Amino acid sequence: MQYQKKRQYSRVISLSAYIALIAYFVISTLAHPYAEIGSIVIIGIKCFPLLGFALAMYKQHLRQLAWMCFVLLIYFTIEIMYVPVNGVLGAFIITLLYTSTMLHIRWHNRANEEAKAT
């Protein structure tokens, strides 16, 4: 399979996992309402760092996507601590997003090299 096709598949998976992760954070927060602090504040705290990378996901800025992967490591660490409470779905979505984004960056560069060679 050529790198261009791999890059397209990894982009679709990355975008899907990105949207799924934000939806997961919103749904999981609304499922466990917080009495002292409003749910909107908690959703903002969970989603604000990820929403900062929305433009990078849309325009495929590779350097910003790499930074998003570093941020995802923090999310992964926090989510792993809450696996007994929340289950493994959040950790799975974060892992899928991290892996597909890293592969997208790699295959994007390889596709560019392949295009220059021909």
Side-chain angles (χ1 to χ4, degrees), residues 69-99:
C69 288
F70 287 122
V71 171
L72 285 174
L73 292 174
I74 298 168
Y75 278 103
F76 181 76
T77 304
I78 294 169
E79 196 64 34
I80 287 298
M81 290 188 312
Y82 291 107
V83 163
V85 177
N86 295 337
V88 297
L89 182 61
F92 175 74
I93 295 171
I94 293 169
T95 304
L96 182 66
L97 179 57
Y98 178 85
T99 306

Side-chain angles (χ1 to χ4, degrees), residues 58-72:
Y58 178 71
K59 291 191 174 184
Q60 299 182 42
H61 290 286
L62 301 182
R63 187 169 292 175
Q64 291 177 355
L65 290 176
W67 276 105
M68 183 184 73
C69 288
F70 287 122
V71 171
L72 285 174

